[in-house]
Amino acid sequence: MPMYEPSMGRREVGGQVLDLDTAVKDGILGGGVVSGVGITEKKISLNKMIEELDSIEVPSVFICPISLEPMQDPVTLCTGQTYERSNILKWLSLGRLICPTTMQELWDDSIIPNSTLHHLIYSWFSQKYLALKKRSGDVQGRVLEILETLKKVKGQAKVQALKELRHVVTAHDSARRTVVSNGGVTLISSLLGGFTTHAVASEVVGILVHLDLSPDAKANLTQPTKISLVVDTLNEGSVDTKINCTKLLDMLMEEKGSESQMVASLSLLVGLLRLVKDKRHPVVVLAGLRLLMIMSSYESVRGSIVSVGGIPQLVDALPNLNAECLNLALHILEVLSTLEEGALALKDCPRTIPNVVKLLMKVSENCTQLALSILWAVCKLAPEKCASLAVEAGLAAKLLLVIQSDCNPELKQRSAELLKLCSLNYTATIFISKCKLTRTIE
């Protein structure tokens, strides 16, 4: 057989004739791209384009049969088969004088650069690369493309598309408007269902929290199956996912009548209380407390917070909270103390009095006022036991500081009433000594 010889316009690779005109005609290359390749080639390496387009489907004729990767330096053997130069050279260096594809013996071990195929490969990747860059600059176009993709793909491809959409809507106002105006909210919301994976749910929630949701969209998202999935995602997700879930639930509760599914969810309450105990991530604690405070504003949910052990968990968390979180936690406890079962739970929690007393005159006037309200609810419930414990914890001295400060008159009045309640179990002399002793300790 004659040795393979290159020609200027054509190549036969694996029985397929390749030339620029045929490639354009058959759709391997788009029209009007090849003429500009010379200019592009100086700027962008083929290797760089292949790396950035690693997820795109490449025509099989561009793939090296040995490595199954796109060829960058194609060369042809005497059998007419083409390979990546480095791969076939390695094959031949091992003494294998046969064609890897056809298993024919090589009557000539020469390798010939396949410049036409190289040109085709470069032209094809240039077209795809430039189209990618153009899409990335066209935010609206990219959003519409992703929305169309989401209608077709499944599995990991769906997760990838959602990730990309989340990044785009996070960065661009125009992307958010495009999603909303093109039915994207309905499409994305439809992905939340009984069989949705946490990976998909996490990305969906991360997108929705950045969008302007209409009342109808919020109503759709408050369906029991969707709320249940969001709650599960909150319990199982990453730090960012947990925060996004609390934000979405907060957005949904803003709509009148939309809170019913959420306030009835014990799983949500348990999940939020779990966030409050996260000592590693203050932002997670803050997100949990914010939503828990909103939920505690509904009378129907307060008893549920108490029943799932919310009070001792909140009390235990107090020493580790920053000022913003303390204000929220004390507000929730103060609201719960208005319930009979809430006051009893506060009284029965051994850390309530010492943890709350320490906060008087330590953070802010608002925190002091909330702390006093909590202590009043506990001490008046069982004056003999609780008032004595409070005095031993230093309450009397703290109350005297409040009375002597320049805080508001209402706060001073509540402090005086609580101080009087605490003094009922002591003689004047002993109570004064307790005040002096605890002030010295302070």
Side-chain angles (χ1 to χ4, degrees), residues 13-62:
V13 182
Q16 179 179 354
V17 176
L18 290 178
D19 63 74
L20 298 182
D21 292 337
T22 303
V24 172
K25 182 178 178 181
D26 292 346
I28 294 177
L29 287 175
V33 177
V34 177
S35 61
V37 171
I39 298 174
T40 309
E41 191 167 0
K42 295 178 181 179
K43 298 180 180 179
I44 309 170
S45 71
L46 180 55
N47 182 59
K48 174 181 173 63
M49 292 190 291
I50 290 175
E51 286 182 354
E52 294 200 26
L53 295 167
D54 63 335
S55 61
I56 196 170
E57 185 176 351
V58 179
S60 60
V61 73
F62 296 165

Side-chain angles (χ1 to χ4, degrees), residues 311-319 345-357:
I311 284 181
Q313 292 186 57
L314 289 168
V315 169
D316 286 346
L318 292 177
L346 283 164
K347 177 183 74 69
D348 293 338
C349 178
R351 282 89 56 198
T352 297
I353 290 175
N355 285 0
V356 176
V357 167

Side-chain angles (χ1 to χ4, degrees), residues 155-173:
Q156 189 58 34
K158 180 181 290 184
V159 176
Q160 280 303 121
L162 287 168
K163 280 182 182 292
E164 185 173 356
L165 184 58
R166 176 169 59 83
H167 290 315
V168 176
V169 300
T170 300
H172 302 283
D173 288 337

Side-chain angles (χ1 to χ4, degrees), residues 248-314:
L248 180 60
L249 292 169
D250 186 357
M251 290 168 61
L252 298 181
M253 292 183 74
E254 291 175 354
E255 195 65 24
K256 186 176 181 181
S258 298
E259 76 284 346
S260 58
Q261 293 298 334
M262 283 163 276
V263 299
S265 173
L266 293 179
S267 178
L268 174 56
L269 294 178
V270 171
L272 294 178
L273 290 169
R274 189 178 294 128
L275 299 189
V276 173
K277 294 191 292 185
D278 189 342
K279 297 179 181 179
R280 297 173 300 166
H281 305 106
V283 289
V284 170
V285 176
L286 181 60
L289 286 169
R290 280 176 173 167
L291 187 55
L292 194 61
M293 188 179 79
I294 292 171
M295 295 187 71
S296 69
S297 66
Y298 296 95
E299 293 185 13
S300 59
V301 80
R302 294 172 189 169
S304 297
I305 298 176
V306 176
S307 68
V308 297
I311 284 181
Q313 292 186 57
L314 289 168

